[in-house]
Amino acid sequence: MSTLTLRKVAIDTYRENVAYLHRDCKLYRSEGFQALNKIEIHSLDGAVSIIAVLNVVDDDCITKPDELGLCEQAFRQMGGEAGVAVNIAHARLPASLKAVHRKISGDNLGLEDYQGIARDIASNRYSKIEMAAFLVACSQTGLERDEVLYLTKAMIETGKRLNWGEPLVVDKHCIGGIPGNRTTMLIVPIVAAHGMLIPKTSSRAITSPAGTADTMEVLARVELSPHELHEIVRAQRACLAWGGTAELAPVDDILIAVERPLSMDSPGQMVASILSKKLAAGATHLIIDIPIGATAKISNRSRALALRRLFEYVGDHLGLSIEVVLTDGRQPVGRGIGPALESRDVMQVLNNDPAAPLDLREKSLQLAGRIIEFDPDVRGGQGYVIARDILESGRALAKMQAIVDAQGRNPNPPQIGHFCHDVTATDSGQVTSIDNLQLAHIARLAGAPMDKGAGVDLHKKLGDPVEVGETLFSIYAEFPADFEFARESAEQNSGFTTGNAVVDESP
Amino acid sequence: MSTLTLRKVAIDTYRENVAYLHRDCKLYRSEGFQALNKIEIHSLDGAVSIIAVLNVVDDDCITKPDELGLCEQAFRQMGGEAGVAVNIAHARLPASLKAVHRKISGDNLGLEDYQGIARDIASNRYSKIEMAAFLVACSQTGLERDEVLYLTKAMIETGKRLNWGEPLVVDKHCIGGIPGNRTTMLIVPIVAAHGMLIPKTSSRAITSPAGTADTMEVLARVELSPHELHEIVRAQRACLAWGGTAELAPVDDILIAVERPLSMDSPGQMVASILSKKLAAGATHLIIDIPIGATAKISNRSRALALRRLFEYVGDHLGLSIEVVLTDGRQPVGRGIGPALESRDVMQVLNNDPAAPLDLREKSLQLAGRIIEFDPDVRGGQGYVIARDILESGRALAKMQAIVDAQGRNPNPPQIGHFCHDVTATDSGQVTSIDNLQLAHIARLAGAPMDKGAGVDLHKKLGDPVEVGETLFSIYAEFPADFEFARESAEQNSGFTTGNAVVDESP
């Protein structure tokens, strides 16, 4: 162990800790460090300790020979105070890597293995490539259902866990894959207006053009401290927050930094990621929406049923009442794809606007109805009617406005992108299929979710009649380069097919 | 596409291209770049183009808002000229990533898939996590033997390929896993002294305490340009060079930057990596040494035979005559483990020093003999005697000296580390097992291969009698921290067991 002066290197490395050591630093040679080695950095009192990947610097203006430079996030983790003395040493490999190698060679892992892996990841001991190795190993041979249970447990244990002190804390989740499927922002105000407790935390988009957190952010602040989240839920019986800042199952948020660039999303990881977040958030009853469709994440009923069994198995063993609903995933839900466009759809439904997309409204009422039936005072089958009354009476809208104000209304909500291009039909007939993946791809190229105003707005849906030259959808973007990428892609493949009759594959 | 001024950021990121863009750079927002995005950088004439991962900078002294900073290796790739204007744009995902995802989901890939992957990796289009995903996917479900053939072909095609214009170009390779197994440095001079052409390129250690390149570097320069390598081989009929600089199958060297921190080494990758290097180096005849032992890479005969078939299958389809030799891998070969210690063993054998380790001498003569029998003028069975005569007559030593001088003798050869600790026997009896992995681990903790003088020197081998307190081996290190790690590890587990009789498992 040897002492250096801490210095902030103003570089944003996005979730990977990087330390900068000057090539002439006496420790660099005397301890035989190498670029890409992982080093452990300790405060002198030993209270704080982090792991970072080493970059070697040849420029005093970045880091002097007697300094240890840290990238912004690592600097924060060490307390954010420049000039203090720190010790550095070779980092030992995270002990849990042995388990990852066993998984790679095909073994199943036990609870202790997953607990070790989760602990090491939570304390930033894993490098990006080690996380990638773990994710690929899990996704490839897949996880036994007990492994999914262990991983879920381990992810919950590494973070805070909320306890609402009530017997009925409801939540909902969609496994995703369907663009524009923004039912959560309708279900939460409806269910909360019925008086149920629904402290909803959502993640941002991983591979999709918008997550609920991205879309809600158009209307209000979503990055709430655990304390803020509590206060809002106590007052409103609900919230629509981003899960990341709440320190619930943080391992999941760290893994996302690798899942995203790899666009990985395996069943076991999915179930563990979803259920760990829900349980950490204190949910007791949960509705899960599994859309089925040729271009949905789940393409047929039998795979959907297998996934449902996995959810139920893990839920039952962790004391969570789960109802899994299989829904129609043959096309996007609503019209907008992208944060600003999707929040527009949501507000149209809440306002009972005649122009509101009916499919979004209907699906939200169905799911809200199922949740309302978790209420022991509600007869089976009555949920839908209660949900519809709440929506039509304007109580859902009022509740949404209250939630938005409580979280902090966005003073200047992002507008829909000012670059606009209409994609038109090349032949006439009936819309026979809409490719969820291609439309999500176009919306992402246009800049969603990072550019909130970017995305796609659908003018036609399955079964609609179309004439040559009619607009199928519009592309919106905020920046020229993105706009061009999206247009090119849409010209190569609009994602729409037209013919004579829709094949009905709805579940 | 938009223009910025190129600037070198003096940071050594070790094989990953990193670009630095100021947060206030107009392009950063106007094009919607994000930290961790991959960007493409083009020279104005479009002649040079590289991919880099984006880091966002908040300090003008690292990168100004109108500049594009590049880490040292990326800066070199762009021509190494500061102040020139470059264009940057969002990088599109490498097309071959689709194939990697298919492999992750269990498909077998075709020749075109592997060619695409190799091309993209060779042109630095893969990030580290994408390479990690590819390696884990290959190692986990494994590769069909045709896939290994395709991968080998693809790796050869992405680099230079040498042609020696002779019908007989011999080479040898050990799959590794046995510490101290430095036969190559004896076989090459013996075989070359017999007049055979053996242009030997080796890699550096991946997970072991020393590779042939690391050890030869103790005596001479091993980083030769393709031109130098040719000249030396023409004059000496042999060389002992590092393969990395020769631009032979460069993909392999790029992957090693990820395999090393992950300590990955799967059969398919192994065969493709070895045979692509040999074929690119122009070999026509190849001996492969597969050591078998409880703590060797290959623990039993049946796995060794399966691996032999894989080598033979790929070799046959690529016109390479392969002979696979199964050897005793129950313990380290020779006494030294670590570059300086192993080169000492090698020179003792070449000098016919009575103190030379007999097992290293004997194994080297056996393998050299098999290679000499590739010579059509040599009767089967005569190779060993010829090899021994060459060694005992001093012609092998003379040839080695000539090779060392040709490559450039190391003016100040590294000495054995000055920190020394003896590990002693805790009970008496006979040495019944020596754990290759633990001794390699101790030698690596001591600093090998990066610190050439570091490592382990064995005083006892299998079957030797030991008394309590007798030295089993000595640990040598150059730096205090490493020395402590190695001592601790050896105290926890010396890797030696003593008992009454050795179980003979030799092949």
Side-chain angles (χ1 to χ4, degrees):
Chain A
M1 304 273 267
S2 320
T3 299
L4 291 169
T5 306
L6 196 61
R7 169 195 183 136
K8 174 182 174 184
V9 176
I11 294 178
D12 168 1
T13 52
Y14 191 64
R15 280 218 177 271
E16 182 153 65
N17 284 353
V18 178
Y20 303 90
L21 205 56
H22 196 288
R23 202 178 295 276
D24 300 336
C25 169
K26 60 181 193 316
L27 298 180
Y28 172 62
R29 271 316 306 153
S30 73
E31 295 298 328
F33 291 118
Q34 307 286 336
L36 214 75
N37 274 174
K38 283 197 292 179
I39 62 172
E40 249 173 295
I41 303 143
H42 304 269
S43 59
L44 288 193
D45 60 9
V48 194
S49 153
I50 67 168
I51 302 270
V53 169
L54 186 62
N55 279 191
V56 178
V57 170
D58 297 294
D59 176 355
D60 291 24
C61 121
I62 296 171
T63 300
K64 295 195 180 55
D66 61 346
E67 293 177 324
L68 176 75
L70 289 182
C71 71
E72 291 166 347
Q73 72 149 6
F75 186 75
R76 276 193 305 276
Q77 288 169 23
M78 281 305 293
E81 194 186 334
V84 302
V86 292
N87 292 319
I88 70 172
H90 291 267
R92 312 200 175 185
L93 279 180
S96 61
L97 261 191
K98 285 208 168 67
V100 172
H101 279 283
R102 274 168 40 226
K103 187 67 194 167
I104 289 172
S105 54
D107 295 3
N108 296 335
L109 302 182
L111 177 58
E112 298 68 24
D113 296 319
Y114 285 105
Q115 286 168 325
I117 291 167
R119 263 195 308 274
D120 284 335
I121 291 176
S123 49
N124 292 301
R125 297 188 77 89
Y126 270 46
S127 66
K128 283 219 166 52
I129 61 174
E130 288 160 345
M131 287 191 275
F134 173 62
L135 289 169
V136 173
C138 292
S139 95
Q140 195 169 19
T141 51
L143 299 171
E144 292 298 323
R145 61 189 195 173
D146 276 327
E147 294 186 275
V148 179
L149 175 60
Y150 302 149
L151 177 59
T152 309
K153 269 188 158 160
M155 296 213 296
I156 297 168
E157 290 165 3
T158 48
K160 285 204 170 61
R161 186 162 183 178
L162 306 181
N163 179 353
W164 300 98
E166 296 193 20
L168 197 66
V169 182
V170 300
D171 206 337
K172 73 79 65 172
H173 190 88
C174 175
I175 66 160
I178 308 302
N181 187 22
R182 207 47 59 213
T183 58
T184 299
M185 287 171 66
L186 293 159
I187 292 167
V188 167
I190 290 170
V191 167
H194 178 67
M196 297 177 102
L197 190 70
I198 182 163
K200 187 82 186 72
T201 59
S202 312
S203 63
R204 298 187 182 280
I206 300 178
T207 56
S208 77
T212 295
D214 304 303
T215 306
M216 183 65 186
E217 205 168 31
V218 171
L219 307 175
R221 202 164 54 91
V222 296
E223 305 202 355
L224 308 173
S225 69
H227 174 73
E228 289 175 309
L229 189 139
H230 245 79
E231 292 306 302
I232 291 163
V233 171
R234 287 266 170 250
Q236 303 297 334
R237 309 287 296 161
C239 68
L240 278 158
W242 175 52
T245 44
E247 297 165 52
L248 306 172
V251 169
D252 190 45
D253 304 305
I254 298 172
L255 287 175
I256 280 175
V258 174
E259 283 170 51
R260 184 185 301 219
L262 281 179
S263 16
M264 300 248 320
D265 209 350
S266 68
Q269 287 287 340
M270 190 200 300
V271 171
S273 157
I274 293 167
L275 295 189
S276 61
K277 277 264 188 284
K278 300 308 175 191
L279 282 154
T284 62
H285 294 68
L286 174 63
I287 290 275
I288 290 171
D289 168 13
I290 300 183
I292 305 173
T295 57
K297 275 187 185 168
I298 304 299
S299 55
N300 62 61
R301 243 186 112 67
S302 68
R303 288 195 48 223
L305 292 172
L307 187 58
R308 180 167 85 179
R309 283 192 298 275
L310 185 55
F311 272 114
E312 290 167 345
Y313 180 83
V314 177
D316 290 351
H317 283 73
L318 296 174
L320 178 64
S321 314
I322 292 187
E323 276 214 38
V324 177
V325 185
L326 309 185
T327 60
D328 179 356
R330 292 172 302 154
Q331 65 176 333
V333 174
R335 296 200 187 90
I337 301 172
L341 289 154
E342 293 179 30
S343 70
R344 177 209 61 195
D345 287 357
V346 165
M347 293 315 294
Q348 283 178 342
V349 173
L350 285 171
N351 283 298
N352 295 294
D353 181 334
L358 282 180
D359 58 342
L360 176 63
R361 178 181 192 274
E362 192 52 28
K363 182 175 179 179
S364 303
L365 289 175
Q366 294 287 357
L367 293 171
R370 296 290 292 274
I371 293 175
I372 288 170
E373 291 179 10
F374 281 135
D375 175 352
D377 303 338
V378 173
R379 282 179 64 88
Q382 291 184 337
Y384 177 85
V385 177
I386 296 171
R388 196 185 54 204
D389 293 347
I390 293 172
L391 177 64
E392 290 176 345
S393 66
R395 288 158 55 208
L397 175 61
K399 172 56 73 175
M400 183 63 154
Q401 299 296 9
I403 293 170
V404 166
D405 288 325
Q407 294 186 191
R409 186 178 294 273
N410 188 341
N412 30 30
Q415 298 309 304
I416 288 161
H418 56 280
F419 291 97
C420 176
H421 169 71
D422 287 345
V423 176
T424 56
T426 51
D427 43 9
S428 302
Q430 209 184 13
V431 176
T432 50
S433 79
I434 303 180
D435 183 336
N436 291 310
L437 300 171
Q438 176 60 6
L439 284 157
H441 181 60
I442 294 168
R444 279 180 73 88
L445 287 176
M450 297 305 186
D451 308 331
K452 295 245 187 280
V456 163
D457 201 22
L458 300 175
H459 296 234
K460 298 288 185 184
K461 301 291 293 275
L462 271 184
D464 290 353
V466 283
E467 296 299 324
V468 174
E470 263 193 298
T471 299
L472 297 171
F473 58 88
S474 311
I475 298 170
Y476 293 96
E478 297 182 15
F479 306 113
D482 305 329
F483 188 55
E484 279 319 309
F485 283 149
R487 281 179 61 162
E488 274 177 44
S489 178
E491 265 148 39
Q492 289 158 19
N493 171 12
S494 72
F496 274 63
T497 61
T498 52
N500 300 329
V502 194
V503 190
D504 187 344
E505 304 157 340
S506 62
Chain B
M1 304 274 268
S2 319
T3 298
L4 291 169
T5 307
L6 197 61
R7 171 197 182 135
K8 174 181 173 182
V9 175
I11 294 178
D12 169 0
T13 53
Y14 191 63
R15 277 214 179 275
E16 183 154 65
N17 283 353
V18 178
Y20 304 89
L21 205 56
H22 196 288
R23 203 178 294 276
D24 300 337
C25 169
K26 61 183 190 315
L27 298 179
Y28 171 62
R29 272 314 306 152
S30 73
E31 295 296 330
F33 291 120
Q34 307 286 337
L36 214 75
N37 274 173
K38 282 196 293 179
I39 62 172
E40 246 170 301
I41 303 142
H42 305 271
S43 58
L44 287 192
D45 59 10
V48 195
S49 152
I50 67 168
I51 303 266
V53 169
L54 187 62
N55 279 190
V56 177
V57 171
D58 296 296
D59 176 353
D60 291 27
C61 119
I62 297 170
T63 300
K64 293 193 182 54
D66 61 345
E67 294 177 323
L68 176 74
L70 288 182
C71 71
E72 290 166 349
Q73 71 151 8
F75 186 75
R76 275 194 304 276
Q77 288 168 24
M78 281 305 293
E81 196 187 333
V84 301
V86 292
N87 292 318
I88 71 172
H90 291 267
R92 309 198 177 189
L93 280 179
S96 62
L97 261 192
K98 285 210 168 64
V100 172
H101 279 284
R102 275 170 36 229
K103 187 67 194 168
I104 290 173
S105 56
D107 294 4
N108 297 335
L109 303 182
L111 177 58
E112 300 67 23
D113 295 319
Y114 285 105
Q115 286 169 326
I117 291 168
R119 265 195 307 273
D120 283 335
I121 291 175
S123 49
N124 292 303
R125 296 188 76 88
Y126 270 47
S127 66
K128 284 220 164 59
I129 61 174
E130 287 160 347
M131 288 191 274
F134 173 62
L135 289 169
V136 174
C138 291
S139 93
Q140 194 169 19
T141 51
L143 299 171
E144 291 298 323
R145 59 188 196 175
D146 276 325
E147 293 186 276
V148 179
L149 175 60
Y150 302 148
L151 177 58
T152 309
K153 268 188 154 152
M155 296 214 294
I156 297 168
E157 289 166 6
T158 48
K160 285 205 172 62
R161 185 161 183 178
L162 307 180
N163 179 351
W164 300 98
E166 296 192 21
L168 197 67
V169 182
V170 301
D171 206 338
K172 73 76 68 172
H173 190 88
C174 175
I175 66 161
I178 307 301
N181 186 20
R182 209 47 58 212
T183 58
T184 299
M185 288 171 66
L186 293 160
I187 293 167
V188 167
I190 291 170
V191 168
H194 178 69
M196 299 176 101
L197 190 70
I198 182 164
K200 187 82 186 74
T201 60
S202 311
S203 63
R204 298 190 181 278
I206 299 178
T207 57
S208 77
T212 296
D214 303 304
T215 306
M216 183 65 185
E217 204 169 31
V218 171
L219 307 176
R221 202 163 55 91
V222 296
E223 304 202 357
L224 309 174
S225 70
H227 173 72
E228 290 175 309
L229 189 141
H230 245 78
E231 291 307 302
I232 291 164
V233 172
R234 286 267 170 249
Q236 303 297 334
R237 310 285 297 159
C239 69
L240 278 158
W242 176 52
T245 43
E247 295 166 52
L248 306 173
V251 168
D252 189 47
D253 304 306
I254 298 173
L255 286 175
I256 281 175
V258 174
E259 283 170 55
R260 185 187 298 223
L262 280 179
S263 4
M264 301 252 317
D265 209 350
S266 68
Q269 286 287 341
M270 188 200 302
V271 170
S273 156
I274 293 167
L275 295 189
S276 62
K277 277 262 187 286
K278 300 308 175 192
L279 283 154
T284 63
H285 295 66
L286 175 64
I287 290 273
I288 291 173
D289 169 14
I290 300 184
I292 304 174
T295 57
K297 275 186 186 169
I298 304 300
S299 54
N300 62 61
R301 251 187 103 70
S302 67
R303 287 195 50 222
L305 292 170
L307 187 57
R308 179 166 86 181
R309 284 192 297 274
L310 185 55
F311 272 113
E312 290 167 345
Y313 180 84
V314 176
D316 290 350
H317 283 72
L318 295 174
L320 179 64
S321 313
I322 293 187
E323 276 214 38
V324 178
V325 184
L326 308 187
T327 60
D328 180 356
R330 292 173 302 156
Q331 65 177 333
V333 174
R335 295 198 187 89
I337 302 173
L341 290 155
E342 293 179 29
S343 70
R344 176 209 59 194
D345 286 358
V346 165
M347 294 315 294
Q348 282 178 338
V349 173
L350 284 171
N351 283 300
N352 295 296
D353 180 333
L358 282 179
D359 58 343
L360 175 63
R361 179 181 193 274
E362 191 54 28
K363 182 175 180 180
S364 303
L365 289 175
Q366 293 287 354
L367 292 171
R370 295 291 290 274
I371 294 176
I372 288 170
E373 290 179 13
F374 280 137
D375 175 350
D377 302 339
V378 173
R379 284 180 63 88
Q382 291 185 337
Y384 177 85
V385 178
I386 296 172
R388 195 186 53 205
D389 293 347
I390 293 173
L391 178 64
E392 290 177 347
S393 67
R395 287 159 56 210
L397 175 61
K399 173 54 74 175
M400 183 63 156
Q401 300 294 13
I403 294 171
V404 166
D405 288 326
Q407 294 187 192
R409 185 178 296 273
N410 189 341
N412 30 31
Q415 299 308 305
I416 287 162
H418 56 281
F419 290 96
C420 176
H421 169 70
D422 287 345
V423 176
T424 55
T426 50
D427 43 10
S428 303
Q430 210 183 17
V431 177
T432 50
S433 79
I434 302 179
D435 184 335
N436 289 309
L437 300 171
Q438 176 59 8
L439 284 155
H441 181 59
I442 294 167
R444 278 179 75 86
L445 286 176
M450 296 304 186
D451 307 330
K452 296 252 188 272
V456 163
D457 201 21
L458 300 176
H459 297 237
K460 298 288 184 183
K461 301 292 292 276
L462 270 186
D464 290 352
V466 284
E467 296 299 324
V468 174
E470 263 192 299
T471 299
L472 297 172
F473 58 90
S474 310
I475 298 172
Y476 293 96
E478 297 182 15
F479 306 113
D482 305 331
F483 188 56
E484 278 321 307
F485 282 151
R487 280 179 62 161
E488 273 178 46
S489 179
E491 265 147 42
Q492 287 158 23
N493 172 10
S494 72
F496 274 65
T497 60
T498 53
N500 300 329
V502 194
V503 189
D504 188 344
E505 303 156 341
S506 62

